[in-house]
Amino acid sequence: GHFANHGYYSAMKPETNRLAPPQGLSRRDFLKAAAVAGGSVYLGLGGVSMAMEKSRVSLVKTENRKSGVSESIKALKFNPVKNKDVLIKPNFNTADLVPGSTHNDTLVSLVEEVWSMGAKSVSIGERSYPPTKEVMDQKGIIPLMEKLNVRIINFDDLQDKDWVHVKPKDSHWQDGFRVARPILESECLISTCCLKTHQFGGVFTLSLKLHVGVVPTTRNGFGYMRELHGSPHQRELIAEINAPFKPALVVMDGIDAFVDGGPMTGKRAKGNVFLASTDRVAVDAVGVAILKVLGSNGQIMKPKIFEQEQIARAAQIGLGASSPAEIDLFAADDQSREFRDRIAAVLNQG
């Protein structure tokens, strides 16, 4: 319906009512591409054009984590969690103060929101940099989650068979990588990230980098984090970790930000913003635009957003938006409009 008035004709054969693949494309690949394009396939003048639905990113200007969580999600106007087993991936790299790690209020608000949206069950899963149990203890996560009827999955405790070996054909990883099985088998994955720079080679750590925590530090005698941090392709490796799974929802808490340093401690700034989207690349592009507006280090300020290696590689392997034109950044309410316009202006410079 969205394109009905643009003079497009859908590529439906009336007699079969089946999607007809263009020449040289198997039906399976065609349908897969169609699904990636949001299920809309249109015949333009030059044959079939995939009419990409824009990636929506909602922005809420707020200093309140509870309303930031609920308003950013509600603004997307869809419910991916109803009757689903939900797995939340927070940012518990260390127990450092937000944005060093996910603020407990953000996590609690997210859990409450997910329950209120009709989730069947809620779990959180994470692998931290120090032992995960220590980080959770320091943050007081275990009693908090028990009270909210949330199951905790400590990826440190997974058996070898539950670290699934993924070997993408086209990858900078020397022998692929392992991913925690609960992530791969999750019925509804929600990832919640912070807004910050990363001084150890990542440049920034938003939603793509958040998922480094789904890969083990070492397993079967192989040091995956050693390979990641020692590689000249670190940013590409980060993007590639994201290929085997897709969060149903990403929520970014940007109330507090690191504009330099990070990921544990750094130069602090007030972002007072929440983002929500289904697109990791779009969230990271908008996040980098926010860091630019806040005034960040040279690695953030100088390059164009879509030339950042994490973002460029993620776009290249089809994980989300590949340019600002594919992102619909919208204000969740009237008081967020002015800030949204400032961020969009920087985002649209590419």
Side-chain angles (χ1 to χ4, degrees):
H2 181 56
F3 289 91
N5 56 353
H6 288 221
Y8 290 102
Y9 296 94
S10 71
M12 285 282 188
K13 281 188 179 170
E15 70 279 10
T16 57
N17 205 29
R18 276 171 54 144
L19 282 162
Q23 280 176 314
L25 193 59
S26 77
R27 183 174 152 74
R28 189 166 152 263
D29 287 345
F30 176 66
L31 289 176
K32 212 160 84 182
V36 169
S40 314
V41 186
Y42 297 96
L43 253 131
L45 297 173
V48 169
S49 70
M50 295 290 174
M52 285 300 293
E53 297 281 330
K54 281 194 177 190
S55 296
R56 306 200 72 190
V57 180
S58 67
L59 180 151
V60 182
K61 187 78 174 131
T62 182
E63 293 174 44
N64 182 306
R65 291 191 158 86
K66 191 169 174 58
S67 64
V69 167
S70 65
E71 284 176 33
S72 63
I73 295 172
K74 282 193 178 89
L76 293 173
K77 292 189 166 51
F78 85 122
N79 184 341
V81 313
K82 199 170 173 58
N83 301 323
K84 300 265 176 71
D85 293 313
V86 175
L87 176 63
I88 296 173
K89 163 69 174 81
N91 180 347
F92 294 165
N93 179 50
T94 59
D96 288 284
L97 191 65
V98 70
S101 65
T102 299
H103 197 292
N104 287 8
D105 293 353
T106 298
L107 186 60
V108 167
S109 300
L110 184 56
V111 168
E112 289 172 342
E113 192 64 30
V114 165
W115 277 128
S116 75
M117 289 164 77
K120 186 163 67 177
S121 73
V122 185
S123 308
I124 64 164
E126 178 65 304
R127 189 270 306 156
S128 302
Y129 169 59
T132 307
K133 173 85 165 64
E134 274 177 32
V135 173
M136 288 188 183
D137 283 343
Q138 279 178 275
K139 286 182 64 65
I141 288 301
I142 295 159
L144 263 184
M145 293 298 105
E146 278 172 358
K147 210 163 66 187
L148 290 164
N149 195 18
V150 173
R151 177 173 165 234
I152 294 176
I153 307 170
N154 177 348
F155 295 162
D156 290 353
D157 298 339
L158 293 177
Q159 298 177 303
D160 282 350
K161 69 174 178 63
D162 291 323
W163 284 109
V164 180
H165 194 195
V166 177
K167 278 189 78 165
K169 282 198 298 284
D170 170 30
S171 167
H172 293 80
W173 288 87
Q174 52 197 43
D175 186 35
F177 50 91
R178 289 177 187 272
V179 177
R181 187 182 297 279
I183 293 284
L184 295 177
E185 295 184 356
S186 159
E187 197 179 8
C188 176
L189 175 63
I190 298 180
S191 299
T192 185
C193 56
C194 301
L195 176 62
K196 55 187 173 179
T197 48
H198 187 273
Q199 64 185 310
F200 305 116
V203 180
F204 53 87
T205 171
L206 300 160
S207 71
L208 291 163
K209 180 86 172 62
L210 175 78
H211 295 116
V212 171
V214 311
V215 176
T217 304
T218 49
R219 198 41 66 145
N220 298 2
F222 188 79
Y224 291 96
M225 291 304 106
R226 198 177 313 127
E227 178 182 357
L228 178 75
H229 290 106
S231 171
H233 301 292
Q234 183 183 153
R235 273 89 48 203
E236 288 100 329
L237 297 181
I238 290 163
E240 288 160 5
I241 287 168
N242 285 268
F245 57 90
K246 183 182 189 324
L249 181 64
V250 177
V251 178
M252 188 198 85
D253 173 355
I255 287 182
D256 294 281
F258 290 148
V259 291
D260 197 16
M264 298 109 146
T265 57
K267 183 183 173 192
R268 311 182 73 89
K270 276 284 180 196
N272 290 338
V273 64
F274 260 78
L275 302 177
S277 182
T278 60
D279 182 338
R280 290 164 283 189
V281 188
V283 166
D284 281 24
V286 175
V288 172
I290 294 169
L291 289 173
K292 282 179 181 270
V293 166
L294 293 176
S296 189
N297 61 36
Q299 288 185 298
I300 297 288
M301 301 307 284
K302 287 187 190 118
K304 289 195 150 200
I305 295 171
F306 276 84
E307 285 166 13
Q308 288 283 359
E309 286 172 312
Q310 278 189 60
I311 289 173
R313 182 64 180 145
Q316 187 182 26
I317 59 178
L319 298 184
S322 57
S323 75
E326 288 172 25
I327 299 174
D328 170 24
L329 177 63
F330 68 101
D333 53 28
D334 288 344
Q335 54 263 44
S336 305
R337 281 214 181 111
E338 194 189 332
F339 191 63
R340 178 258 160 219
D341 292 346
R342 281 178 67 197
I343 302 306
V346 171
L347 176 67
N348 289 333
Q349 288 163 8

